[in-house]
Amino acid sequence: MSETLTACPLDCYDACGISYENGKIKAFKSGHTNGFLCPHMNHYEKHEIINLPRYKGKEITLEGALIHLAQMLRESEPKSVLHYRGSGNFALMQEVSDHFFASYGATLTEGTLCDGAGEAGIVEGRGSNKNMPISEIEKSEVVIFWGRNPHTTSSHLLPLIKDKTIIVIDPVKTKIAKMADLHLQVKPKGDLHLAMLLSRFLHIDHGCDIEYLQEHASEFEEFYELTQTIRIKATLEEIDVTLGQIGKVLELIKDKRVAIVCGVGIQKYRDGAEIMRAIDAFGVMLGLFGKEGCGVAYLGSSREHISSPFNTNAKQRVSKVNTEFSNFKTVFIQGANPLSQMPDSLRVKESISKVENVVYFGLYENETSEIADLVIPAKSFLHKDDVRTSYSHNAMMFMNKVQDSDAGISEYELSSYLCKYFNIDIEGEEFYLNHFKSFGAEQDDGIRRVKNREEIPYQDGFDTDDGEFLFLDEFETNLEKSDKLHLITSKSLTSLNSQFNRESNVYLNSSLGFKDDELVKITSDNGSVELKVKLNDDLRDDCVLIFSGTKGVNNLTSSKHSYEGKSAIYQENRVNVSKV
């Protein structure tokens, strides 16, 4: 069998190129994939997928499943139908189902369970969310990993940062923190105040790029005045950072090409947008934007300069964070596991139990597929054609089908069936694939990239009304004090949210007095969960770590939104831990 080129479909920073030959998945040797795959993709085909549809717990044919689905929709008023789509598969053709449901008159979702608060903060300051590609991080001299754990979330970045100065700001002593030149083990939610203090002392030490600021961020003196409202000694004590550590950061980055690489954990709070804006502001004070090897990296807009060919103009949308499922007769869940991944799981479970028709369309069994009335297996990325882009680099990758499979149905095939059944216009699959492909162009290095994207973002200034960066002009100066523990919900090395090999423990510092494998109850204002303890002194003693995807973790989380960005705030709630 000849080699076929495709790409990883997973919701991940790296978005790697893959080849398929003789029944085996292999990594591209060229480009950032660099000849190796992450653990998720290395073991991808070992994870059992759903092969047969089910209705009311009994296996049926695919044709029978589609008939049941059409009947459910026909017997429901369009406004009583909800389409809840996740992003476990990041390819562009996933959105074709929105085309059917929006055209049909169903309700779609808005908001995000992931990165929305941080993106909102970036857009407020810069006017857009342009991606700092990993090719530019590679050109930096100093990398600050701010709440980002590359060994878990972006392992293909690691070969690109060899011999660089590494600074880590993270409440967990991660693997990269142990390797770093400097680690600030800041208290959770202390990032905003730390960023403000870094900008303040940068200004005091005459380290700001004044020429850059005068041209691109002329209100920097007003921002400096805002940083002066912070009480230095009390704040440093509260966030558990020393003046010496701040001085060391400024020393290590002085006159260097600096990349500040941020993770989503920093913005899992109500004020997540302000936190991201404060970190962005520190980058602006340094003059990092629009220069080679410099910038602030987060999750860029993977759809930048790519228009959708689908009708997604739904008459009504509800928040993905606090969806009230009980308001609908039929709920179609695609590539998502809301019973596990939505915050405030106990509320979600009660709400979804009142839905007459729950349809699950996906690859893997999970809490949501277990309670669904109708289960429709999706096709793996190996068995269909698609196109994907990334929020970490500018490549456009064709996801070519590498083999046939009788199991499951693709998003396009299912949507085409429904469109024809309900007399809704839909183009052929090749039309949509070619539409997406038209936004890419092969470059001199042989890599196809999205057209018109800046390799070095913001070289001509920011995308605000006046072309200048918009600083924060106010923020909550007081840090919340509580005897309860901070909840951290990082991604696990062995799972991707609720996919693959999920964790089942709570991680605690040994100073809290618990024992390994001891069963404990973790409680918040929203609910509780019982888990076995794993001791880990890489954690602060005021923190509880439960990896995202752990069953029951979202019993603890709030379904409130971030103040900006309509995003989930998984780490806002504090918790108590007690012996069972």
Side-chain angles (χ1 to χ4, degrees), residues 77-94:
E77 290 290 328
K79 64 181 180 181
S80 71
V81 175
L82 171 67
H83 176 38
Y84 190 102
R85 182 168 64 85
S87 57
N89 183 315
F90 218 67
L92 298 174
M93 286 293 289
Q94 305 303 297

Side-chain angles (χ1 to χ4, degrees), residues 15 25 63 78 81 99 143 146 170 188 190 201 246 270 296 364 417 507-508 517 570 575-576:
I25 294 174
E63 181 182 5
V81 175
H99 175 84
V143 179
W146 202 318
D170 201 304
F201 283 101
I246 286 180
R270 298 212 80 178
V296 178
Y364 302 104
Y417 173 89
Y507 293 81
L508 302 172
D517 294 323
Y570 291 109
V575 299
N576 287 318

Side-chain angles (χ1 to χ4, degrees), residues 170-172 185-188 268-269 483-491 504-514 520-524 527-548 550 552-554 556-557 570-578:
D170 201 304
V172 182
Q185 198 165 5
V186 63
K187 183 180 287 190
K268 292 182 178 181
Y269 304 97
D483 293 332
K484 294 183 178 181
L485 300 171
H486 294 274
L487 175 64
I488 299 175
T489 58
S490 307
K491 288 192 176 182
S504 58
N505 298 292
V506 55
Y507 293 81
L508 302 172
N509 188 288
S510 62
S511 67
L512 293 175
F514 298 98
V520 297
K521 185 176 184 178
I522 307 98
T523 306
S524 76
S528 64
V529 62
E530 294 184 1
L531 297 168
K532 286 187 177 181
V533 171
K534 291 295 180 186
L535 297 179
N536 188 340
D537 286 346
D538 292 335
L539 282 173
R540 293 174 53 92
D541 61 8
D542 56 1
C543 293
V544 169
L545 170 61
I546 307 177
F547 285 108
S548 171
T550 301
V553 61
N554 283 316
L556 306 171
T557 56
Y570 291 109
Q571 297 180 171
E572 183 72 24
N573 277 357
R574 299 285 189 94
V575 299
N576 287 318
V577 182
S578 58

